[in-house]
Amino acid sequence: MNNNFLGFGVGLRTDHYQHVVDNRPDVDWLEVISENFMVAGGKPKYFLHAVRENYPIVMHGVSMSIAGTDPLNMDYLKKLKMLSSEIQPEWVSDHLCWTGAEGLNSHDLLPVPYNNEVITHIVDRIQQVQEILGRALVLENVSSYLTYNQSDMEEWDFINTIAEHSGCKILLDINNIYVSSRNHGFSAQTFLHAIKPEHIQQFHLAGHSDYGDYMIDTHDHDVPPAVWDLYADAVKKFGLISTLIERDDNIPPFEDLHAEMKHARDIAQRTLDLNSA
Amino acid sequence: MLDLRVLQSDLINYLVHKKQKVDGYIADGGSIDKQTRLNIYSNAYTLRLRGVIDIDHEILSYYLGDELFDQLVQGYISAYPSNHTSLRDFCSNVPNYLKDNPPFNEYPVIEELARFEQTLLFAFDASDSTTANMLDLNKLSIEDWPDIKIRFHPSMQLFENHYNCVEIWQALKQKRTPPEVQKCDHSTWVIWRNAQRITEFRSLEISELESIQTFLKGGSLSDVCEQLQSHYPEDEISKVAVTYLSDWLNRNQVSIIITQKNSLTSQ
Ligand SMILES: [Fe+2]
């Protein structure tokens, strides 16, 4: 299976642009938020080109609304394609979700009901986007806080079927699996083990906020022990998969994220040593 | 597919306008009830947009203080729900909202402050461009000078104000107590991004403002000199014009110097 293993990376955030350009930290790759660079010019673009010289880049977007019912936003897709020909990323990802309807935008990653009708709708849109971008799309499982009455299958079967029918790849967010498992009362292991290895392109690792009865994927904390454990299981099952530390809020010094990245590498190393022993 | 469309329409209207009834879509069960589940999304919606206004209008939020800033957030979010793909454009109507709605419209300096912040944001990520420098100017033979036209850097903006909003902005930026609001007759600032990609601004004398405006309208250096006659004695005019030009060039405000000779290639 060629999943283009990039190694261990960190999500590049505005606070760290200067640091990464000046210090060239020892990370294997960087993931950037596509929308941050869909601007005409200035500092963001300058930094993006500067980091691109030294690192493989993955473009991660938040606005595609692949599961939406408004028409695909051609203007957005055009800009995404332009950015991708400019940056030549390893791949382009977004989320398996919808963000708005009727022209209104929630700027959130909203879940859809899991059923065959929705699968058909999403597969069709993925194929259109893949056609436009000229490459396979990589889609991430989102955290969710509600279940729809219109769902008649499990999220993992929904994801597998979409990947199978559309040819898209999956960015498996380990934290999102954990958060959703706690919010919906399913087993994170069951989710993880149900996903077909051939679909996996990348892992995300992040932290969340625990409110006791429920969890929110705030991405504003260190990766917690439960997510590290689930990550070790994921490595055991899927082998070496490009892994990324994701932090969106309460951004610590770059070194802290770098340390988490090294921790992920250690876990992967240890798990695979044990596997082969 | 009609079902998904209706569901999304109802949910987005619930999030944005808080009116729609949507709990019929949500399954029972688990450790929290349906309303708590919906509240997670609805709180996240408000918090996210509040965060965007706070980042784009950091100084305005200091100036307003928590209570008024909250009032702005609530009012703005419901008056101008996001219909943009990018959050970058979400705040574009903040100055309009402040101009039209109480209590903010009683204090026009607030709208000016917001507009100033938006002008800075525009300059921050405006298009990149080549920049001309003094060498380019000095390369020109002296007989070409009167015909010189200028294309300014895409980040360059003029900002007109009637209150001391820029002084207030500066004080708050440096975490100092802002000055009292004062009306000023008429003042204009030029804002641009320098060679280090840092946004700068400075206030303009009326004669320099008119010179910039003349170039912006496609006028030539000789048009500028003609204009300067109303401000300076004849023998100082060319010196003043050259000072302006070299200041702009040294500050990275100019993309291209256009002469009759190069106008075809640079247009
Ligand atoms: Fe993620």
Side-chain angles (χ1 to χ4, degrees), chain A residues 36 46 56 70 104 131-132 198 220 229 257 273:
Chain A
N36 290 355
Y46 161 78
D70 279 357
L104 293 168
E131 185 91 357
I132 292 166
E198 63 267 29
D220 59 353
D229 290 348
L257 301 180
D273 284 352

Side-chain angles (χ1 to χ4, degrees), chain A residues 39-46 63 67-69 73 76 98-113 117-118 121 143-150 182-184 213-214 216, chain B residues 1-5 7-9 11-13 15-17 24-28 31-32 36-38 40-41 44-45 48-49 81-88 124-128 193 196-198:
Chain A
V39 293
K43 248 188 175 163
K45 275 274 169 92
Y46 161 78
S63 316
T69 47
N73 184 337
Y76 172 79
W98 63 289
T99 59
E102 300 182 335
L104 293 168
N105 204 323
S106 74
H107 301 285
D108 200 352
L109 308 170
L110 304 167
V112 281
E117 208 188 347
V118 175
H121 172 67
S143 297
S144 63
Y145 311 101
L146 55 78
T147 305
Y148 296 105
N149 287 323
Q150 289 75 9
R182 291 281 305 269
N183 288 335
H184 303 301
D213 286 344
Y214 59 93
I216 299 187
Chain B
M1 198 34 51
L2 191 67
D3 285 350
L4 183 60
R5 194 182 300 277
L7 178 146
Q8 293 187 347
S9 160
L11 270 166
I12 196 74
N13 279 293
L15 289 177
V16 172
H17 302 299
Y25 291 115
I26 316 301
D28 285 313
S31 54
I32 49 174
T36 309
R37 292 178 185 281
L38 284 167
I40 294 174
Y41 286 101
Y45 173 79
R48 181 172 303 105
L49 295 181
S82 174
N83 49 18
H84 300 284
T85 305
S86 165
L87 277 169
R88 187 175 174 277
F124 174 76
D125 56 14
S127 295
D128 294 315
R193 194 166 73 218
Q196 287 72 47
R197 297 176 186 79
I198 293 165

Side-chain angles (χ1 to χ4, degrees), chain A residues 8-38:
Chain A
F8 299 84
V10 171
L12 183 64
R13 299 298 177 263
T14 320
D15 301 32
H16 299 142
Y17 290 170
Q18 191 77 55
H19 176 89
V20 170
V21 170
D22 292 349
N23 300 289
R24 280 219 226 167
D26 165 36
V27 300
D28 298 330
W29 61 287
L30 294 164
E31 184 187 75
V32 300
I33 304 296
S34 311
E35 286 79 359
N36 290 355
F37 304 97
M38 291 183 176

